[in-house]
């Protein structure tokens, strides 16, 4: 005789849990830090903020690298959030996979665009 102590739980998705929660917090901190550094750069720039002043802010290689790392953090942050939305609200596995692939293609394209902008300045 078998005793059933509750319904069997259906496990779906990857359940990244703590890793995703932590990556969201770390990338958010990095994004906020970049925003503060950029605001400080703008506040301490003498004269009007025109293209030349904006370009001067990003002339330093460390600032370009920091901006690119922050852009990657934004893309990772977006990936985790959007993937969780697809996992929660798109029940069909095929459609969810299609949406995941579209999201990845879009984010990789955005990363290439950021790289092109930062090193073309």
């Amino acid at each position: 005789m078998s005793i059933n102590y509750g319904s069997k739980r259906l496990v779906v998705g990857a359940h990244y849990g703590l890793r995703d929660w932590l990556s969201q917090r770390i990338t958010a901190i990095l994004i906020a830090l970049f925003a503060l550094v950029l605001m400080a750069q703008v506040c301490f720039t003498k004269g009007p903020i025109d293209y030349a002043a904006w370009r001067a802010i990003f002339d330093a290689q460390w600032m370009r690298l920091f901006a690119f790392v922050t852009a990657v953090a934004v893309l990772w942050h977006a990936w985790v959030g959007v993937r969780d939305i697809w996992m929660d609200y798109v029940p069909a596995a095929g459609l969810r996979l299609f949406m995941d692939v579209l999201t990845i293609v879009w984010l990789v394209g955005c990363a290439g665009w950021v790289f092109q902008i930062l090193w073309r300045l």
Side-chain angles (χ1 to χ4, degrees):
M1 181 169 148
S2 173
I3 298 175
N4 187 0
Y5 289 108
S7 62
K8 213 170 193 189
R9 184 172 177 200
L10 177 64
V11 179
V12 295
H15 298 287
Y16 299 106
L18 179 62
R19 185 175 61 189
D20 281 348
W21 182 86
L22 200 55
S23 72
Q24 287 286 89
R25 277 35 180 201
I26 291 171
T27 55
I29 289 169
L30 183 60
I31 294 163
L33 181 63
F34 177 77
L36 290 173
V37 168
L38 185 60
M39 283 190 289
Q41 291 272 2
V42 169
C43 288
F44 292 121
T45 299
K46 291 179 174 58
I49 302 293
D50 56 0
Y51 179 76
W54 191 252
R55 184 177 171 126
I57 290 171
F58 288 93
D59 273 345
Q61 193 66 23
W62 71 268
M63 188 61 178
R64 286 185 187 182
L65 186 60
F66 189 27
F68 185 72
V69 168
T70 303
V72 170
V74 168
L75 297 172
W76 185 258
H77 192 91
W79 164 246
V80 170
V82 171
R83 189 203 62 222
D84 286 351
I85 290 170
W86 298 152
M87 284 181 6
D88 289 346
Y89 297 108
V90 180
L95 179 59
R96 189 169 54 242
L97 177 62
F98 177 72
M99 299 299 285
D100 282 344
V101 169
L102 280 181
T103 303
I104 291 169
V105 168
W106 174 257
L107 293 174
V108 168
C110 288
W113 189 36
V114 167
F115 186 82
Q116 178 187 13
I117 290 169
L118 285 173
W119 272 270
R120 183 179 60 182
L121 275 174

